[in-house]
Amino acid sequence: MKKILTLIAITCFCMQLNAQHLSIEHIMQDPKFTIGALPSSINWSEDSRMIYFNWNPFRNKADSLYSASVTEKKPFKVPPQTRRALPSFNGVYSRDFSKKIYTKNGDLFLLDCKTMAVRQITNTVEAESNPSFNGKESKIIYSKASNLYSFNLSTGETEQLSNFLTGTKKTETKANEQEKWLKKDQLSLFEVLKERADKKKQGEAIAKEDLPKRAKEIYIEDKRVDIQTLSPDENYITYRLTKSATGAKNAVVPSYVTESGFTEDLPARTKVGAPMPTYEFWVYDIKKDTALQVSTKEIEGIDEQPAYLSEYAKKDTTKNKKVEARKVIFNEPIWSEDGKYCVVVVRSQDNKDRWILKLDVATRKLKTIDRQRDEAWIGGPGIGSNFSTGNIGILGDNQTLYYQSEEDGYSHLYVANLATGAKKQLTKGKFEIQSLQLSKDKQHFYFTSNEEHPGEQHFYRMAVTGGDRVRLTKMTGSNQVVLSPDETKLAYLNSYSNRPWEVYIQDNTVNAPPSQITKSQSQQFKEYKWREPEVITFSAKDGAEVYARLYEGKGEKGKRPAVIFVHGAGYLQNVHKWWSQYFREYMFHNMLVDNGYTVLDIDYRGSAGYGRDWRTGIYRFMGGKDLTDQVDGAKWLVETQGVDPKKIGIYGGSYGGFITLMAMFTTPDVFAAGAALRPVTDWAAYNHPYTANILNEPQTDSIAYRKSSPIYYADGLKGNLLICHGMVDVNVHYQDAVRLAQRLIELKKENWELASYPMEDHGFVEPTSWMDEYKRIFKLFETTLKKK
């Protein structure tokens, strides 16, 4: 019966597609049915003969592991017993790549990459993590329960290298003068007491001498320890201590539809501006048995305050105000193989500085290699985050550091000599290095960039000294490449704007033809002629060139309705030539065109892929240039596409929902209707890591929050507004929608509605929820934008 119903559904779907007219019921159902099960997560076998990837061509409940050989190029499902026996695809290699240490199910394993023999190192209840080889590669260094351990590969001996203990060391109570006198008097009076005391003292001394050498007890009070690292010469352990903030209140997200029948509170985050943890970086000198903190006082610009604070400073107190050094976060050190150089990446907690510093572990002194300062915030591909070093490492000469920086406005590759400090830029141009890896012989870089076009991603090879870049992929769209261990083959996912992801294999040579491994599109998907949106540009009012996707509609010029879609996440790219992560929206846009609409999808200010100035164009004013880009896009539609200026709608989710609200409230004469999905209505209610970068903190930069939060502009609503929000959204809390609803009620606005989804988080899961939401969106546009 189930198969019969499925066949009926497929038949109905094909009839819809053959009619070249989509319906929401079909495009919003399970994507495995609508599109096909797309492959993901490519990995190579250690011998470079096989690739592995996740796939689900038979539409099971979950993906399975598939494999294909580089010779036969035919995918087959990996049996469960084989899958369970496979080594982990992740791990750390020895310098000659003959061995790999990895964790699996919380235990340590050592793989011989030539024989494929696996040696299990641990089998414990407590999980081991972060394995690496020591400098001589005779031991495995790993973490367990906040401490550092070593495993000797030849003897099998396990040694605990650190002994971090919470709390404070108990101090022995010292005797006062009276107690000292009494004890002395007792020992002088009674010979037996004196003999026993001497014997005890002697025994304790012998016992102490007989004790094996143990790691020093280091008490860390109420702090947490992490990123413990052993120096290559095994003389030093570096580590970070984190002290949790006090007084940071978490929000509450109630769940109403539960198995228990009771309302249950879901764990949620704090709001931006809450007290933040503090971080310290320490060096334990094993030989001297001392642990000392690394001072940040001498870091270049450590006390340089952000420029925006000058707007709030009182002129008569500025000179007398004591400037405090900013708080920073240290990341895990990078060591040269010979142990001569140690490099640490340090970020200021306000994220306006990233320092790459050379650390002398013996003296704990820091020396600047590179400082990247941004009055907005440090970011961009390959740059890393507060808890990530980004793409950085040391070349084979043991003294040349490579890293990425936005120093010239785009994320490019640089090198610095650790001995002399001399720096050199290796790549340059109006494009970004988006992924980076070093070849095994450390003579070449492999990287992905959008050099060919902002909407394309290709794989390149370049010598570590710079020079010509060799493009290795040729297929238009995005090429997400995984290099084989022997570096002779490329396996990658490729897609185009109207063609979903598939797996390909090719030789690692220029102009090598790719071989397609998977065929994932469902028959239903093939039945419809999906449009290839045109990537166009238009000029913003400040002269900037804005990229957009155009889905060109038909109809009488000057009377055509149009919809502008606003992608979410802010820092994300959707105007490109590959399969969009917004695949439901892509299909919806095809449906809108079927129904007479023109659709424009804009990579507005703040989007990824266009360099530093584009990325930070929203600093201190979200709803500024990111919104005027939408307004300028609407103007372009009217002037070039025959769109009626009174028939333009706008919609989007998350950040797109926020822009929709700002559009409907602050530019009400441009947009007749808007659908704001899971929108931020007040940035002071959002999370700290994202919001504080762009708007600083509400208690220090209230001007930025007031300018950027839609709830303050709700009185400007004229057109028709739909708000849709999941009630168990732990990202943008449902409270945002509720507060805005109350504001609209008090303002006596009538042309709005709030649709609530009791069992949905930020990203909807249930097809029925997607269907309900998009039926409401379509109804909104049909009833408001097609009115005569």
Side-chain angles (χ1 to χ4, degrees):
M1 185 65 183
K2 187 177 181 180
K3 291 183 178 179
I4 294 173
L5 292 173
T6 302
L7 288 171
I8 293 172
I10 292 172
T11 304
C12 293
F13 188 86
C14 291
M15 291 174 62
Q16 288 283 347
L17 299 182
N18 284 323
Q20 294 288 295
H21 193 84
L22 299 170
S23 69
I24 289 172
E25 285 81 356
H26 290 103
I27 63 178
M28 293 299 160
Q29 60 184 305
D30 188 336
K32 291 195 297 289
F33 178 82
T34 313
I35 302 167
L38 307 185
S40 64
S41 304
I42 297 176
N43 290 282
W44 281 93
S45 63
E46 295 295 338
D47 59 9
S48 300
R49 296 178 181 177
M50 307 281 289
I51 63 167
Y52 296 91
F53 53 93
N54 294 330
W55 200 28
N56 190 0
F58 299 106
R59 301 174 188 167
N60 297 318
K61 290 185 177 181
D63 286 0
S64 298
L65 186 67
Y66 277 73
S67 183
S69 72
V70 297
T71 53
E72 295 181 3
K73 299 180 176 64
K74 293 181 180 180
F76 62 88
K77 188 174 180 179
V78 178
Q81 62 271 24
T82 303
R83 173 178 54 80
R84 285 190 288 267
L86 284 172
S88 172
F89 295 123
N90 300 311
V92 177
Y93 290 92
S94 59
R95 284 192 288 272
D96 64 359
F97 294 93
S98 64
K99 295 180 175 62
K100 182 172 82 170
I101 182 69
Y102 62 91
T103 60
K104 189 174 183 179
N105 300 321
D107 290 315
L108 293 178
F109 294 82
L110 180 67
L111 173 70
D112 187 313
C113 297
K114 294 179 181 179
T115 66
M116 297 303 292
V118 175
R119 176 184 177 185
Q120 185 163 358
I121 304 299
T122 65
N123 186 355
T124 63
V125 174
E126 286 185 305
E128 288 81 28
S129 62
N130 304 317
S132 64
F133 291 96
N134 69 330
K136 296 178 181 179
E137 298 193 333
S138 59
K139 301 175 184 177
I140 295 169
I141 311 301
Y142 62 93
S143 298
K144 181 172 71 171
S146 299
N147 277 304
L148 205 61
Y149 293 80
S150 75
F151 176 84
N152 191 303
L153 291 169
S154 59
T155 66
E157 178 188 3
T158 296
E159 180 183 0
Q160 184 171 338
L161 302 176
S162 69
N163 189 13
F164 295 108
L165 302 169
T166 56
T168 56
K169 187 175 182 178
K170 294 181 180 179
T171 57
E172 293 183 8
T173 304
K174 292 185 178 180
N176 59 32
E177 293 302 318
Q178 178 206 27
E179 291 168 338
K180 290 178 182 178
W181 184 90
L182 284 174
K183 182 175 181 180
K184 184 178 179 181
D185 188 56
Q186 289 291 95
L187 293 175
S188 66
L189 283 173
F190 304 104
E191 191 65 28
V192 174
L193 277 181
K194 186 177 183 306
E195 288 178 1
R196 290 180 180 178
D198 291 342
K199 187 177 180 181
K200 179 182 178 184
K201 187 175 181 180
Q202 186 179 13
E204 288 175 348
I206 294 171
K208 187 175 182 180
E209 289 176 0
D210 290 343
L211 284 174
K213 187 180 179 180
R214 302 293 191 193
K216 177 184 176 65
E217 291 182 347
I218 300 176
Y219 287 86
I220 59 174
E221 301 174 340
D222 57 348
K223 301 167 187 173
R224 300 190 311 275
V225 61
D226 66 352
I227 62 169
Q228 307 97 309
T229 305
L230 181 69
S231 64
D233 61 11
E234 301 186 37
N235 290 329
Y236 301 92
I237 293 174
T238 62
Y239 57 97
R240 181 174 62 195
L241 295 181
T242 303
K243 184 176 177 61
S244 299
T246 57
K249 186 176 182 179
N250 285 342
V252 174
V253 176
S255 176
Y256 293 95
V257 183
T258 64
E259 289 185 13
S260 67
F262 292 90
T263 301
E264 298 174 4
D265 290 338
L266 302 178
R269 53 168 171 78
T270 61
K271 298 184 179 185
V272 60
M276 300 295 292
T278 55
Y279 303 89
E280 301 167 358
F281 196 69
W282 289 68
V283 175
Y284 171 46
D285 186 322
I286 297 173
K287 288 184 176 179
K288 293 183 179 179
D289 202 26
T290 57
L292 296 169
Q293 185 177 352
V294 175
S295 173
T296 62
K297 291 181 180 179
E298 302 303 318
I299 293 179
E300 177 187 349
I302 189 65
D303 58 356
E304 187 174 336
Q305 300 300 306
Y308 79 89
L309 290 175
S310 62
E311 295 184 26
Y312 298 93
K314 294 181 181 179
K315 294 181 180 179
D316 58 340
T317 60
T318 301
K319 293 182 180 180
N320 299 323
K321 187 176 180 180
K322 183 180 178 181
V323 177
E324 294 184 2
R326 287 177 293 156
K327 296 175 181 178
V328 301
I329 302 172
F330 281 79
N331 282 289
E332 187 170 356
I334 301 112
W335 286 90
S336 59
E337 288 182 355
D338 61 6
K340 185 176 180 181
Y341 295 107
C342 178
V343 175
V344 290
V345 177
V346 180
R347 304 283 285 250
S348 59
Q349 277 202 14
D350 62 17
N351 209 16
K352 298 185 187 300
D353 269 288
R354 181 199 69 173
W355 296 274
I356 300 177
L357 304 168
K358 186 165 59 175
L359 171 65
D360 184 330
V361 288
T363 64
R364 305 178 315 286
K365 297 295 184 183
L366 297 167
K367 185 176 181 180
T368 302
I369 300 168
D370 181 80
R371 178 191 179 192
Q372 185 180 333
R373 169 77 177 180
D374 198 318
E375 281 297 338
W377 74 96
I378 302 294
I383 309 298
S385 62
N386 279 350
F387 297 98
S388 168
T389 59
N391 293 329
I392 187 170
I394 297 176
L395 297 180
D397 62 3
N398 278 316
Q399 67 175 17
T400 302
L401 182 80
Y402 67 87
Y403 61 96
Q404 283 183 239
S405 171
E406 283 187 322
E407 183 177 335
D408 75 345
Y410 291 84
S411 183
H412 280 297
L413 183 57
Y414 294 77
V415 290
N417 188 296
L418 294 173
T420 66
K423 291 189 288 187
K424 179 183 177 182
Q425 185 172 356
L426 297 186
T427 60
K428 191 171 185 178
K430 292 185 177 181
F431 64 93
E432 296 181 324
I433 304 297
Q434 298 175 327
S435 70
L436 177 70
Q437 71 180 92
L438 187 62
S439 64
K440 284 186 172 180
D441 62 8
K442 299 191 176 183
Q443 298 301 307
H444 292 88
F445 290 113
Y446 288 96
F447 58 84
T448 301
S449 81
N450 59 352
E451 179 176 357
E452 187 72 18
H453 182 278
E456 291 188 39
Q457 294 178 334
H458 286 286
F459 196 63
Y460 294 81
R461 181 178 64 240
M462 182 185 72
V464 294
T465 53
D468 294 337
R469 297 180 287 277
V470 179
R471 179 176 151 190
L472 297 169
T473 52
K474 300 299 179 183
M475 297 177 68
T476 305
S478 174
N479 298 279
Q480 299 182 3
V481 177
V482 182
L483 189 64
S484 65
D486 65 6
E487 300 184 357
T488 65
K489 304 283 184 183
L490 311 179
Y492 55 94
L493 293 167
N494 172 275
S495 70
Y496 192 61
S497 55
N498 61 352
R499 175 176 51 78
W501 301 100
E502 301 288 5
V503 175
Y504 296 82
I505 294 178
Q506 73 169 64
D507 290 335
N508 183 13
T509 56
V510 178
N511 296 321
S515 298
Q516 185 172 342
I517 304 301
T518 60
K519 293 182 179 180
S520 303
Q521 296 177 24
S522 67
Q523 185 60 37
Q524 299 90 314
F525 185 84
K526 295 176 184 178
E527 293 291 336
Y528 180 82
K529 188 176 180 180
W530 298 99
R531 293 169 176 83
E532 178 186 337
E534 181 185 359
V535 176
I536 60 95
T537 61
F538 62 85
S539 293
K541 67 178 183 180
D542 63 355
E545 185 181 34
V546 184
Y547 281 80
R549 270 184 167 193
L550 174 66
Y551 300 76
E552 190 173 356
K554 296 180 180 180
E556 186 178 349
K557 286 194 173 183
K559 295 185 178 180
R560 296 175 183 173
V563 170
I564 290 179
F565 169 66
V566 189
H567 69 67
Y571 191 64
L572 179 146
Q573 186 178 8
N574 200 47
V575 178
H576 47 62
K577 298 180 183 179
W578 62 86
W579 184 247
S580 175
Q581 69 182 69
Y582 290 100
F583 58 88
R584 291 184 178 88
E585 289 79 356
Y586 167 78
M587 293 188 288
F588 182 57
H589 297 161
N590 276 265
M591 175 185 152
L592 287 175
V593 176
D594 287 344
N595 285 273
Y597 294 85
T598 294
V599 180
L600 194 66
D601 174 1
I602 301 170
D603 269 348
Y604 51 86
R605 236 64 68 97
S607 297
Y610 306 94
R612 182 266 172 197
D613 290 346
W614 203 263
R615 175 178 64 79
T616 62
I618 56 175
Y619 178 57
R620 298 192 71 210
F621 190 8
M622 291 193 275
K625 290 181 180 180
D626 46 0
L627 174 57
T628 59
D629 286 345
Q630 317 296 331
V631 173
D632 292 336
K635 180 182 177 184
W636 182 85
L637 287 172
V638 172
E639 293 175 348
T640 67
Q641 301 299 307
V643 167
D644 187 336
K646 296 182 179 179
K647 295 181 179 180
I648 302 176
I650 186 169
Y651 90 102
S654 195
Y655 199 100
F658 151 72
I659 287 292
T660 297
L661 292 178
M662 291 295 276
M664 296 300 292
F665 295 164
T666 66
T667 58
D669 296 325
V670 177
F671 300 101
L677 319 175
R678 53 200 181 275
V680 174
T681 67
D682 185 350
W683 285 108
Y686 198 50
N687 70 33
H688 187 94
Y690 180 87
T691 319
N693 276 345
I694 305 171
L695 300 180
N696 303 307
E697 295 183 339
Q699 60 267 36
T700 61
D701 199 1
S702 58
I703 293 172
Y705 282 81
R706 180 64 187 256
K707 283 196 303 185
S708 302
S709 296
I711 197 166
Y712 295 107
Y713 302 100
D715 194 36
L717 179 63
K718 291 182 181 178
N720 291 274
L721 173 64
L722 167 66
I723 306 166
C724 297
H725 211 125
M727 295 177 69
V728 289
D729 190 335
V730 295
N731 182 9
V732 179
H733 299 158
Y734 181 64
Q735 181 188 26
D736 269 55
V738 174
R739 290 181 70 234
L740 180 60
Q742 180 59 29
R743 181 71 179 142
L744 292 170
I745 291 168
E746 292 181 9
L747 290 169
K748 301 177 182 178
K749 300 291 181 179
E750 298 179 355
N751 49 335
W752 65 278
E753 66 171 305
L754 170 60
S756 302
Y757 298 84
M759 297 190 69
E760 295 293 355
D761 198 341
H762 196 61
F764 282 14
V765 174
E766 300 302 326
T768 50
S769 300
W770 284 106
M771 290 177 195
D772 181 272
E773 182 177 56
Y774 274 80
K775 281 182 179 179
R776 292 175 187 273
I777 297 169
F778 186 60
K779 180 180 178 181
L780 172 72
F781 293 151
E782 286 284 276
T783 56
T784 57
L785 303 183
K786 285 192 173 181
K787 293 187 298 184
K788 293 184 179 180

